[in-house]
């Protein structure tokens, strides 16, 4: 029997001739660098910089402090795990069910609460140094693209309200290193693009990072602990009207060595409006993206799963509803919102709480955070019950996080609810009625009474 080695499965080799390696940009020659950077951003959305000016002692000091933190006992590290996605976390990435063989510290601008004063101040100094490097690179991008003024991109990172994220990742050696069913090593950080403008990453000497080329093949990035790797992120793809590619990347684990990476994500101020830069829209071309604020993009993006294509939601050609359908949807949502208010007023009256609009006002507020969802569950041909004896799942069990949800379905059954004793009961469909769910916030409101 011939055993297939992992490399034989690996599409990188089939494409080896086409890919010439990760572009290396020497920042000590800015005149060459600006053109090379533009090419790299167009071809791969990824490149490495050398002679970057960030002191290596600062980089090593931060790596030492970082390992000092991750080497602490689990119970100590768990103390830095606040109820939001910032701070220390292990195994979970984001808040939407993604997991990885990883532990990390996640910080937002200028605030690096850690176990030691030295660690926090070294992190601060490091972020300031890489932010400057980010500005330098974005100015070279502007020069290379001939866009004026040359700080049009970099000013978003230097703005005092810039929304910076800083992340320290630790991927411990992964002992159970059997390749998964698709022949790949277990995942440390699943495939994704970074939502910001640019990301600046430095790792230790352990490999694992891979980037996805435009033809869909994945290539490993040879580690280089003295250099920085630069990613084009989603916003830069939008601002260049798709000329630059936001690079899809992932990290696979190593069986023996632990990997540490430190990544600065350069985001603009939350209220910054993002749209393609006029001079980059070629004659005869159209703006590919709707205008949005970074706040809107981030709020949407942080509700998605890691691997999702967040940009497609803001892509002009791909709005799922026609103009006519959008008007109908708007009218429908407005009618349901009114129904929701009426029900919440009846709830207030029933509970004898005053004033009677105490709940309903939250839906009628002009800033109310409404979500509207249209689901389609195609017939599922492979309808063998799963191992637990149930039919295949269309939408897994959950509670809705809002105040109330108002649902209508066609005549196909499928919805089930869980009773307080844990039994599941089917909801007979009724396409002329609405079904009302008590959501998480209404449960909390009620407990407060
Ligand atoms: C699953 C997620 C984790 C993430 C927020 C998101 O909902 C989708 C984008 C993810 C990402 C990727 C780049 C950065 O590591 C990060 C901090 C970011 O800004 O977007 C993470 C988010 C996270 O880990 O919270
Ligand atoms: O660890 C790495 O090198 C990459 C991690 C990453 O992509 C991220 O933190 O967004
Ligand atoms: Fe990333």
């Amino acid at each position: 029997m011939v055993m297939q080695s992992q490399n034989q499965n690996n599409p990188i080799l089939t494409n080896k001739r086409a890919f010439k390696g990760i572009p290396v940009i020497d920042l000590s020659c800015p005149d060459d660098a600006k053109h090379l950077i533009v090419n790299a951003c167009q071809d791969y959305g990824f490149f490495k910089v050398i002679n970057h000016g960030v002191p290596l002692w600062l980089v090593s000091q931060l790596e030492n402090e970082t390992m000092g933190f991750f080497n602490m006992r689990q119970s100590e590290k768990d103390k830095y795990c606040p109820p939001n996605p910032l701070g220390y976390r292990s195994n979970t990435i984001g808040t939407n069910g993604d997991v990885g063989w990883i532990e990390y510290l996640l910080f937002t601008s200028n605030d690096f609460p850690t176990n030691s004063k030295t660690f926090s101040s070294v992190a601060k100094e490091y972020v300031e140094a890489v932010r400057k490097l980010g500005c330098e690179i974005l100015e070279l991008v502007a020069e290379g693209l001939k866009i004026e003024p040359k700080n049009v991109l970099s000013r978003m990172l230097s703005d005092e309200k810039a929304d910076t994220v800083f992340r320290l990742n630790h991927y411990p050696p992964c002992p159970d290193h059997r390749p998964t069913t698709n022949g790949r090593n277990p995942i440390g950080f699943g495939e994704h693009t970074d939502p910001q403008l640019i990301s600046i990453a430095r790792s230790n000497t352990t490999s694992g990072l891979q980037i996805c080329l435009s033809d869909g093949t994945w290539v490993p990035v040879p580690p280089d602990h003295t250099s920085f790797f630069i990613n084009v992120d989603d916003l830069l793809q939008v601002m260049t009207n798709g000329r630059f590619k936001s690079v899809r990347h992932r990290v696979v684990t190593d069986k023996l060595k632990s990997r540490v990476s430190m990544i600065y994500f350069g985001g603009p101020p939350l209220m910054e409006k993002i749209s393609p830069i006029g001079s980059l829209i070629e004659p005869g071309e159209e703006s590919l993206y709707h205008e949005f604020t970074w706040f809107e993009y981030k709020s949407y993006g942080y509700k998605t799963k890691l691997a999702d294509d967040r940009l497609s939601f803001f892509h002009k050609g791909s709005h799922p509803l026609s103009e006519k359908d959008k008007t109908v949807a708007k009218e429908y949502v407005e009618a349901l919102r009114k129904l929701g208010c009426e029900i919440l007023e009846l709830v207030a009256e029933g509970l004898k709480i005053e004033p009677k609009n105490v709940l309903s006002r939250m839906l009628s507020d002009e800033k109310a955070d409404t979500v509207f969802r249209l689901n389609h569950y195609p017939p599922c041909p492979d309808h063998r019950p799963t191992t637990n004896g149930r039919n295949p799942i269309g939408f897994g069990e959950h509670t809705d996080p809002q105040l109330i949800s108002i649902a209508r379905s066609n005549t196909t059954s499928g919805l089930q609810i869980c009773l307080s004793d844990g039994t599941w009961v089917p909801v007979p469909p009724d396409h002329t009625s609405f079904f009302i769910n008590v959501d998480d916030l209404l449960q909390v409101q009620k407990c407060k009474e």
Side-chain angles (χ1 to χ4, degrees):
M1 189 173 81
V2 180
M3 291 285 283
Q4 232 186 11
S5 81
Q6 231 192 302
N7 278 346
Q8 278 169 305
N9 270 339
N10 195 333
I12 302 161
L13 294 186
T14 56
N15 224 34
K16 207 174 180 184
R17 247 176 275 128
F19 176 61
K20 297 194 193 76
I22 306 295
V24 180
I25 315 285
D26 183 348
L27 289 182
S28 63
C29 313
D31 282 337
D32 293 340
K34 62 187 180 196
H35 302 298
L36 296 172
I37 290 178
V38 168
N39 289 343
C41 292
Q42 290 177 168
D43 294 345
Y44 307 114
F46 189 81
F47 57 95
K48 170 166 122 173
V49 291
I50 57 171
N51 292 322
H52 43 69
V54 177
L56 290 182
W57 60 261
L58 181 59
V59 177
S60 321
Q61 211 180 339
L62 182 59
E63 184 179 333
N64 290 340
E65 292 294 331
T66 303
M67 280 323 292
F69 179 90
F70 289 125
N71 285 336
M72 290 195 306
R73 280 201 310 273
Q74 192 61 45
S75 56
E76 282 302 307
K77 292 187 276 191
D78 286 340
K79 290 183 186 158
Y80 297 87
C81 191
N84 57 31
L86 298 175
Y88 173 77
R89 282 282 182 285
S90 62
N91 306 118
T92 60
I93 297 172
T95 51
N96 308 312
D98 288 288
V99 290
W101 187 262
I102 189 174
E103 56 178 349
Y104 59 87
L105 278 163
L106 196 57
F107 305 109
T108 49
S109 16
N110 299 329
D111 194 15
F112 308 99
T114 67
N115 57 326
S116 99
K117 272 202 175 130
T118 321
F119 187 9
S120 299
S121 79
V122 172
K124 197 167 177 163
E125 202 175 332
Y126 176 91
V127 169
E128 184 48 24
V130 284
R131 193 191 55 71
K132 285 201 179 122
L133 173 61
C135 289
E136 190 183 328
I137 291 169
L138 288 181
E139 293 194 1
L140 289 171
V141 165
E143 287 184 37
L145 288 173
K146 299 195 178 56
I147 46 180
E148 298 272 358
K150 89 171 186 190
N151 73 347
V152 65
L153 299 166
S154 63
R155 67 172 177 77
M156 293 191 251
L157 305 195
S158 48
D159 192 303
E160 59 171 19
K161 293 206 190 104
D163 183 33
T164 303
V165 175
F166 184 50
R167 171 168 215 142
L168 296 164
N169 294 321
H170 175 224
Y171 306 87
C174 182
D176 182 5
H177 213 251
R178 283 168 298 190
T180 50
T181 41
N182 55 14
R184 284 198 236 120
N185 291 343
I187 283 294
F189 205 117
E191 66 172 271
H192 64 284
T193 62
D194 294 344
Q196 290 80 357
L197 283 159
I198 58 168
S199 315
I200 305 185
R202 183 268 175 193
S203 73
N204 67 354
T205 54
T206 306
S207 59
L209 179 63
Q210 302 184 341
I211 61 163
C212 187
L213 305 184
S214 55
D215 64 1
T217 55
W218 285 92
V219 295
V221 177
D224 176 352
H225 66 294
T226 63
S227 303
F228 288 96
F229 291 95
I230 315 297
N231 291 13
V232 168
D233 295 351
D234 295 350
L235 298 189
L236 204 50
Q237 174 165 331
V238 172
M239 295 191 75
T240 57
N241 206 29
R243 194 158 151 186
F244 286 6
K245 298 286 169 278
S246 180
V247 63
R248 199 157 258 273
H249 54 287
R250 67 185 182 203
V251 178
V252 294
T253 53
D254 193 279
K255 188 174 181 180
L256 301 173
K257 290 170 71 188
S258 102
R259 175 181 162 86
V260 190
S261 63
M262 0 207 207
I263 305 164
Y264 157 88
F265 302 93
L270 287 171
M271 285 309 144
E272 185 77 38
K273 287 192 176 137
I274 306 294
S275 64
I277 295 171
S279 63
L280 295 181
I281 305 175
E282 304 283 339
E285 216 180 61
E286 284 185 6
S287 157
L288 294 177
Y289 299 95
H290 294 282
E291 183 177 273
F292 52 82
T293 60
W294 166 233
F295 176 75
E296 286 164 335
Y297 192 75
K298 192 173 174 183
S299 315
Y300 165 75
Y302 272 53
K303 286 185 204 137
T304 59
K305 293 203 59 142
L306 203 49
D308 287 347
D309 177 1
R310 286 167 274 283
L311 274 178
S312 63
F313 191 73
F314 294 86
H315 198 279
K316 271 191 180 160
S318 65
H319 198 286
L321 297 181
S322 67
E323 285 308 313
K324 192 167 146 247
D325 289 348
K326 261 194 247 171
T327 317
V328 175
K330 225 170 164 165
E331 202 178 324
Y332 177 88
V333 169
E334 182 49 23
L336 259 59
R337 195 193 52 71
K338 283 198 181 128
L339 173 62
C341 289
E342 193 183 326
I343 294 168
L344 288 180
E345 290 190 5
L346 291 171
V347 167
E349 286 184 39
L351 288 172
K352 298 193 178 56
I353 45 180
E354 296 276 358
K356 91 173 185 188
N357 74 345
V358 65
L359 298 168
S360 63
R361 69 176 173 76
M362 291 190 254
L363 304 196
S364 45
D365 191 304
E366 61 173 18
K367 294 209 192 100
D369 182 26
T370 305
V371 179
F372 179 51
R373 172 167 207 138
L374 295 162
N375 296 323
H376 175 226
Y377 303 87
C380 180
D382 183 5
H383 212 249
R384 285 167 298 193
T386 52
T387 41
N388 54 17
R390 286 199 233 118
N391 290 344
I393 283 294
F395 205 120
E397 68 174 85
H398 65 283
T399 60
D400 293 340
Q402 288 79 1
L403 279 162
I404 58 168
S405 316
I406 307 183
R408 182 266 175 194
S409 71
N410 66 0
T411 54
T412 307
S413 59
L415 179 65
Q416 302 183 341
I417 59 163
C418 186
L419 304 184
S420 54
D421 66 0
T423 54
W424 285 92
V425 294
V427 179
D430 176 354
H431 68 293
T432 62
S433 305
F434 290 98
F435 292 93
I436 315 296
N437 294 9
V438 170
D439 293 352
D440 297 351
L441 298 189
L442 196 55
Q443 171 165 342
V444 173
Q445 292 281 337
K446 206 174 142 202
C447 292
K448 272 199 209 147
E449 294 307 311

